[in-house]
Amino acid sequence: MPSSFALQDQTLLSHALDGLTFGFAALSATGELIYANAWVTARLREHEPSGFLGLWDSESRDRLLAALPLVVPGNGVRELALGTADGLPVRVSLEARPGATASVAVTIRPVAEGAGGDGAADDRRLALIEIGNLLRDLEDPAEIAYRVAEVLGRTLKVSRAGYGTIDPVAETITVERDWNAPGITTLAGLLRFRDYGSYIDDLKRGVTAVVTDARTDPRTAATADALAGISALSFINMPVTERGGFVALLYLNHEHPRAWPEEEISFVSEVASRTRVAVERRRAEHELRTLAKDLERQVVERTYERDRVWTLSSDILVVADTDTRLLSVNPAWTAILGWSERDTVGRSYLDFVHPDDIFRTQDETGHLSDGEATLRFENRYRTADGGLRTLSWRAVPSEGLIFAVARDVSAEREREAALEVTQEQLRQAQKMDAIGNLTGGVAHDFNNLLQVISGNLQLLATDVSGNERAERRVANAMAGVTRGSKLAAQLLAFGRRQPLAPKVVNIGRFIRDMDELLRRALGEAIDVETVIAGGLWNTLVDPSNVENALLNLAINARDAMNGQGRLTVEAGNALLDDAYAKAHGDLRPGQYVMLAVTDTGAGIPQDILGQVFDPFFTTKPEGRGTGLGLSMVYGFVKQSGGHVKIYSEPGEGTTVKIYLPRSVQGEDRVVEVEEEGVRGGDETILVAEDDEAVRETVVGLLADLGYRVLKARDAESALSIIESGIAIDLLFTDVVMPGPLRSPELARKAAERQPGIGVLFTSGYTENAIVHGGRLDEGVELLSKPYSREALARKIRHVLAGRVPRTPGDPKAAPAPSMPSPKGAPASLRVLVVEDDALIRMSIAEMLESRGHIVFEAGDGIEAMRWHGAEDIDILLTDVGLPGMNGVEVAERMREAQPSLPVLFATGDQTANGVERDARTAIIVKPYGVADLIEAIGRITRGS
């Protein structure tokens, strides 16, 4: 029970409160009355049963209920300017007192009391206090703007008050919510300033717009009706600026004209300033809270992501100290290297590094200890199963720790190594191809030159027969031709361009047959040993090239041993697997016959071992070798689909191994045919050769052998002769000739037109015309340049003997008449050919002459005009593009003297600009054949 002293104190306090000249009450946070003094009790009797809230007008009641929850201990006193139900203006103070039974202590004083007689000023002062409380307690910027507008509107007793954001460019205001007196409509939404006057110009300059009567103010007179429509005949618009920009507006509207005293404008300015600061502060606080929450979320997400990266990363992640001790490893460490975390943490990472990489790794650790980051470092780590993985590291030091990430690049390095091998093989192949193309071109021209020299020397030999001195000189010259021919053959062999005539042979038997030849070539001071494995497989290879290769290797070995030592020749079966084939480029895995030559010579230094197969590279003293021996071996073996490998140790000797593909076919028995003497004949031979000197030499050799010889400068000319019907026994044609018609095609057409004709090809370089896969096409006969008179005679007889003889009834057995001329064309014409290219002009002339026509040749328009003036011309055949006077001009000038002259224009231009076609004017497009030419002549000469 409370003591008597406590009860006495409560009685005294109650008497004291009842004696006050103003009201005092205690309320709960919901407005329930807990205590009231006599001043309050006296007024409550008039408003029963409404209770304490019945003392106030409706607006004041709402404001009081809104303020009560905001009154908390330690938050100071809140003051409100309210109105009672009987119209008495009062000032209400609200304060929460910790420990008191009541939640809120309420003090009610009439405004006149202590206001100094200026009620409006007191209202403004109270309003500032209330606004201060609002700005302190409210968080939402929109709510702050509304509640401040409410206090302003109520204090200044205007129709409307509000706060809006501005778009100075569009000249609009956006109002989220505004306070409106009873009966006034809200302006919430978007409004355009220009719809209500020109005062926006003042606002944009930062000047407050004050209008007492919109109907008389020049800025709003024209829009007064619009302003009246929104209850704003008088108003204050106060701009709010930030960083020099017009960003917001505090506005007060009244529905009737109204004066705005200076103290009210200052009051509004003060409120606007406080409101702007509070609103921006709340927005900044809101942004900071949002940012803090976002940062917190990001931290959580990043932590989660970091943990997931650590766990799920396919790269190795480690933390170690600068003493190389591993502190933490992620699961990828175990996945890649196989070492568990328990086997790893606490150990030095050097324990896992390949021994050859430890020193480099220690050096890199030293750089990290000095604070230098590792951007890229590769080393090899041992795996738990005994293997190796290549790791590429990036690492950074921080506070005595090393944070590192490693990517397994083992597969990449293997691919790079394989790519490097492939690129080296490609470079080698490109080098071989380039040298092959070079040697092919050189060999073609070189062999043509040798053929001219050789043929003329052989013809000369007959003329100087009996002159010993001259015969000796001719013999020396022929020896030089032979050496040149061998040199060209070696170049072609290296470039894999020589024509091969492979046979299925047994290398073992082949070596035994060469044993005596090798011993004679090497001399008695070199001991030759041959080792032939039992069950040796056959191989498909050109026997003469195998002999040359083996002889070249033996001679190289002799020179390496300085003529004294041991030479071992081995032959055996070999199986080259996929791994070996992959490491050596274009080699196919499979079964091979191995031929090895081993010497006990000086050996070859490792730094030049890779160059020994290059053409013209030699380790012999100057003048003792061409550097083409091993090149020839290399090219021949590669062209045969094989492989060659060289092993050498300085001071120990050298072994060269040749691998030739196995053949499952039976061995071809090579029968030695005794060569018969030189024999000629009386058959007809057509020689097709583009080189004039070679052509004349061959014609001389054949004529000397008794043959009837026809000649042509290219395949087209040769075909024209064949088509003329002249019986021909043998076509002797160069393989490589200019023109659209290739030699193999010429041979095919020749066989079609004259069945039984023999065909013999000749060339110093065959390209791929009759050689495919390095081998002569089936049934093809080839005589390689340069050749001797004896070789030519034997080969001609060989081909003639092997051809299918004609039957007596064969219409081709005797010379046939020329192909009949096209219908309407004269059998013989006098044709003027005008062409600036001499070779083309000669070719056209030969085609026309083969048809029995008479041809006059001119190289330009001036020469053509001279012929036309001197001879009777039946037809003009002219190129369009001539030097000086073009073909069209030549034709026009000739037709001035001979209007009916038929003209045939020969041109490479399909459009033939400038040529007008008619019944006596035609065009033939280059290239063209004899049939095309004769048909075109027939078209323009019909009816002549």
Side-chain angles (χ1 to χ4, degrees):
M1 293 180 60
S3 67
S4 58
F5 293 103
L7 292 173
Q8 186 177 4
D9 289 342
Q10 290 180 4
T11 302
L12 290 173
L13 177 61
S14 177
H15 287 310
L17 293 174
D18 286 340
L20 295 174
T21 59
F22 54 86
F24 180 82
L27 301 176
S28 70
T30 60
E32 181 182 355
L33 182 64
I34 298 173
Y35 169 82
N37 71 350
W39 191 95
V40 174
T41 302
R43 285 162 178 77
L44 284 175
R45 293 192 188 101
E46 302 175 7
H47 301 285
E48 292 225 0
S50 302
F52 181 78
L53 295 178
L55 289 174
W56 315 100
D57 61 33
S58 62
E59 180 183 348
S60 297
R61 187 184 309 118
D62 293 341
R63 292 175 58 210
L64 182 62
L65 286 174
L68 284 173
L70 300 177
V71 180
V72 294
N75 205 20
V77 178
R78 301 183 66 88
E79 295 194 16
L80 302 174
L82 303 179
T84 63
D86 54 8
L88 175 68
V90 296
R91 185 174 73 233
V92 178
S93 299
L94 305 175
E95 183 178 8
R97 299 191 178 184
T101 303
S103 295
V104 180
V106 183
T107 303
I108 307 169
R109 288 186 175 90
V111 172
E113 185 181 310
D118 188 355
D122 195 50
D123 287 345
R124 291 193 295 272
R125 184 180 64 80
L126 288 174
L128 288 174
I129 294 173
E130 185 174 358
I131 287 172
N133 292 330
L134 292 171
L135 298 180
R136 180 188 63 206
D137 297 335
L138 297 176
E139 297 292 338
D140 182 20
E143 182 67 16
I144 290 174
Y146 172 75
R147 296 293 295 277
V148 168
E150 178 187 7
V151 173
L152 273 175
R154 189 182 65 249
T155 301
L156 298 181
K157 298 178 177 58
V158 296
S159 302
R160 179 187 297 113
Y163 187 88
T165 56
I166 299 300
D167 183 344
V169 177
E171 298 184 340
T172 59
I173 180 172
T174 301
V175 179
E176 292 186 17
R177 184 182 177 195
D178 56 6
W179 176 86
N180 297 274
I184 303 300
T185 304
T186 180
L187 293 182
L190 180 72
L191 290 88
R192 300 182 182 278
F193 283 102
R194 296 290 179 185
D195 293 343
Y196 304 101
S198 61
Y199 57 92
I200 180 62
D201 297 330
D202 296 332
L203 298 176
K204 291 169 73 173
R205 292 196 302 271
V207 178
T208 300
V210 179
V211 174
T212 59
D213 188 346
R215 293 170 298 191
T216 60
D217 194 299
R219 296 170 295 179
T220 58
T223 56
D225 292 341
L227 288 166
I230 61 172
S231 304
L233 278 176
S234 65
F235 59 82
I236 294 177
N237 277 7
M238 185 164 291
V240 178
T241 60
E242 184 178 344
R243 297 187 182 92
F246 180 23
V247 296
L249 181 75
L250 179 64
Y251 61 88
L252 301 174
N253 298 159
H254 199 62
E255 59 182 332
H256 305 297
R258 182 189 189 281
W260 301 99
E262 185 63 34
E263 55 270 22
E264 288 185 346
I265 296 173
S266 298
F267 170 64
V268 173
S269 177
E270 176 68 16
V271 171
S273 177
R274 291 188 184 189
T275 302
R276 181 187 66 80
V277 172
V279 168
E280 293 306 318
R281 183 172 66 247
R282 289 294 185 269
R283 284 177 178 165
E285 291 171 352
H286 176 73
E287 290 175 357
L288 284 173
R289 284 194 297 270
T290 303
L291 178 60
K293 290 181 180 178
D294 188 57
L295 287 174
E296 183 180 0
R297 177 185 58 78
Q298 290 184 35
V299 168
V300 172
E301 290 178 353
R302 296 283 173 81
T303 302
Y304 177 70
E305 289 173 359
R306 183 200 62 193
D307 292 342
R308 284 179 60 83
V309 168
W310 179 268
T311 304
L312 301 179
S313 174
S314 60
D315 292 338
I316 293 175
L317 304 175
V318 302
V319 180
D321 59 25
T322 52
D323 293 329
T324 74
R325 188 172 66 254
L326 288 165
L327 305 179
S328 181
V329 296
N330 74 328
W333 170 276
T334 303
I336 293 174
L337 299 177
W339 302 103
S340 68
E341 185 175 4
R342 184 176 60 184
D343 296 334
T344 301
V345 173
R347 295 178 60 182
S348 169
Y349 52 72
L350 295 175
D351 294 344
F352 304 96
V353 176
H354 188 280
D356 293 346
D357 295 344
I358 287 179
F359 291 120
R360 292 192 307 107
T361 306
Q362 288 175 328
D363 288 342
E364 195 63 32
T365 302
H367 293 309
L368 286 165
S369 299
D370 294 338
E372 300 177 18
T374 295
L375 299 180
R376 183 177 180 182
F377 176 77
E378 290 189 10
N379 59 4
R380 291 166 294 171
Y381 268 61
R382 295 182 296 104
T383 62
D385 61 3
L388 288 173
R389 308 299 293 178
T390 302
L391 303 181
S392 178
W393 292 92
R394 294 173 66 90
V396 292
S398 177
E399 300 179 355
L401 297 178
I402 298 172
F403 299 87
V405 56
R407 175 161 295 178
D408 183 5
V409 294
S410 305
E412 294 176 25
R413 297 299 168 263
E414 290 173 3
R415 286 195 297 269
E416 288 173 0
L419 179 61
E420 186 175 350
V421 171
T422 303
Q423 288 175 335
E424 179 58 32
Q425 294 166 354
L426 177 60
R427 284 192 292 270
Q428 181 70 10
Q430 289 173 335
K431 181 176 74 172
M432 294 297 117
D433 191 57
I435 293 175
N437 290 332
L438 174 63
T439 55
V442 170
H444 177 265
D445 293 339
F446 188 49
N447 283 332
N448 273 348
L449 293 173
L450 290 177
Q451 183 57 48
V452 173
I453 297 170
S454 172
N456 282 284
L457 286 172
Q458 292 172 80
L459 292 171
L460 181 61
T462 303
D463 296 339
V464 300
S465 178
N467 186 334
E468 184 178 347
R469 183 178 181 184
E471 288 179 339
R472 186 169 60 254
R473 289 179 175 174
V474 169
N476 290 338
M478 283 299 298
V481 170
T482 302
R483 290 178 59 189
S485 175
K486 182 179 179 182
L487 176 63
Q490 289 176 322
L491 285 171
L492 287 173
F494 173 75
R496 310 181 208 180
R497 297 299 196 274
Q498 63 176 337
L500 300 180
K503 305 290 183 184
V504 179
V505 299
N506 185 285
I507 291 293
R509 186 176 296 106
F510 196 82
I511 293 173
R512 293 189 190 97
D513 293 343
M514 286 189 64
D515 184 78
E516 185 61 30
L517 175 63
L518 289 175
R519 294 181 187 280
R520 286 201 310 269
L522 300 177
E524 295 181 355
I526 294 179
D527 184 16
V528 178
E529 180 182 1
T530 57
V531 180
I532 310 299
L536 190 65
W537 296 326
N538 292 338
T539 181
L540 182 65
V541 70
D542 188 318
S544 62
N545 277 284
V546 173
E547 181 179 334
N548 286 336
L550 185 54
L551 197 56
N552 268 302
L553 293 176
I555 292 172
N556 278 346
R558 179 199 65 190
D559 294 343
M561 294 184 290
N562 291 320
Q564 191 171 12
R566 173 182 290 275
L567 178 75
T568 304
V569 180
E570 300 175 75
N573 299 330
L575 179 63
L576 302 183
D577 59 17
D578 291 336
Y580 185 89
K582 186 177 180 181
H584 291 83
D586 56 353
L587 177 64
R588 291 184 179 180
Q591 296 175 329
Y592 289 82
V593 176
M594 185 272 294
L595 172 63
V597 177
T598 303
D599 65 55
T600 57
I604 303 172
Q606 292 297 315
D607 58 338
I608 64 171
L609 193 61
Q611 306 176 51
V612 295
F613 293 119
D614 290 352
F616 305 112
F617 179 84
T618 180
T619 58
K620 298 177 183 178
E622 187 174 350
R624 291 191 56 189
T626 62
L628 289 172
L630 285 178
S631 302
M632 183 275 292
V633 173
Y634 178 90
F636 152 65
V637 173
K638 288 293 184 180
Q639 191 174 352
S640 300
H643 172 61
V644 59
K645 186 73 174 177
I646 185 167
Y647 307 88
S648 187
E649 290 290 338
E652 299 295 329
T654 301
T655 297
V656 179
K657 290 186 176 181
I658 295 174
Y659 297 88
L660 298 170
R662 177 190 180 184
S663 174
V664 295
Q665 298 177 1
E667 184 179 4
D668 292 331
R669 303 300 296 179
V670 180
V671 179
E672 295 292 336
V673 179
E674 185 175 350
E675 294 186 353
E676 60 182 17
V678 175
R679 182 168 65 89
D682 59 358
E683 290 89 349
T684 300
I685 298 176
L686 172 59
V687 176
E689 170 63 63
D690 62 302
D691 189 301
E692 187 174 355
V694 174
R695 186 172 64 248
E696 294 304 321
T697 303
V698 174
V699 168
L701 288 172
L702 292 173
D704 190 53
L705 289 169
Y707 295 106
R708 295 191 299 273
V709 185
L710 303 174
K711 57 183 178 179
R713 66 187 62 202
D714 54 31
E716 284 190 318
S717 301
L719 183 60
S720 298
I721 295 174
I722 293 169
E723 290 177 340
S724 69
I726 300 174
I728 299 171
D729 297 292
L730 184 140
L731 170 64
F732 185 39
T733 177
D734 191 9
V735 175
V736 183
M737 290 190 294
L741 184 62
R742 303 180 69 212
S743 295
E745 185 67 12
L746 169 65
R748 186 186 65 79
K749 291 186 176 183
E752 290 176 353
R753 286 155 176 74
Q754 295 200 25
I757 188 173
V759 178
L760 174 59
F761 291 98
T762 181
S763 182
Y765 171 48
T766 60
E767 289 183 325
N768 293 317
I770 58 173
V771 175
H772 295 88
R775 301 172 182 177
L776 278 174
D777 293 344
E778 189 69 27
V780 170
E781 296 287 351
L782 174 67
L783 179 62
S784 296
K785 298 177 184 177
Y787 46 81
S788 66
R789 179 172 177 270
E790 292 76 12
L792 174 63
R794 282 193 293 269
K795 198 68 174 179
I796 291 288
R797 295 316 309 169
H798 170 74
V799 174
L800 288 172
R803 68 188 179 125
V804 178
R806 296 191 180 95
T807 61
D810 191 340
K812 297 289 184 181
S818 298
M819 184 182 295
S821 300
K823 184 178 179 181
S828 177
L829 295 170
R830 299 168 65 84
V831 183
L832 174 56
V833 177
V834 188
E835 169 64 60
D836 58 320
D837 188 303
L839 289 177
I840 297 176
R841 188 170 66 249
M842 292 169 61
S843 174
I844 296 171
E846 286 187 0
M847 285 191 282
L848 291 170
E849 289 172 348
S850 69
R851 293 298 186 270
H853 300 299
I854 301 170
V855 181
F856 304 94
E857 299 182 37
D860 54 35
I862 296 175
E863 186 178 3
M865 294 305 297
R866 285 201 297 267
W867 276 114
H868 188 255
E871 299 289 343
D872 292 331
I873 302 300
D874 297 320
I875 184 170
L876 170 64
L877 193 161
T878 178
D879 188 11
V880 174
L882 295 172
M885 189 188 312
N886 63 42
V888 177
E889 294 172 341
V890 171
E892 289 175 349
R893 291 185 58 178
M894 288 187 181
R895 279 181 169 173
E896 290 176 0
Q898 188 180 347
S900 61
L901 177 65
V903 178
L904 179 60
F905 290 101
T907 178
D909 182 6
Q910 296 277 353
T911 59
N913 294 328
V915 176
E916 295 182 4
R917 299 168 176 81
D918 54 34
R920 305 187 68 78
T921 305
I923 295 172
I924 185 169
V925 180
K926 300 176 183 177
Y928 51 83
V930 177
D932 300 323
L933 179 59
I934 299 305
E935 192 275 332
I937 291 174
R939 288 202 312 271
I940 60 175
T941 56
R942 291 188 180 99
S944 298

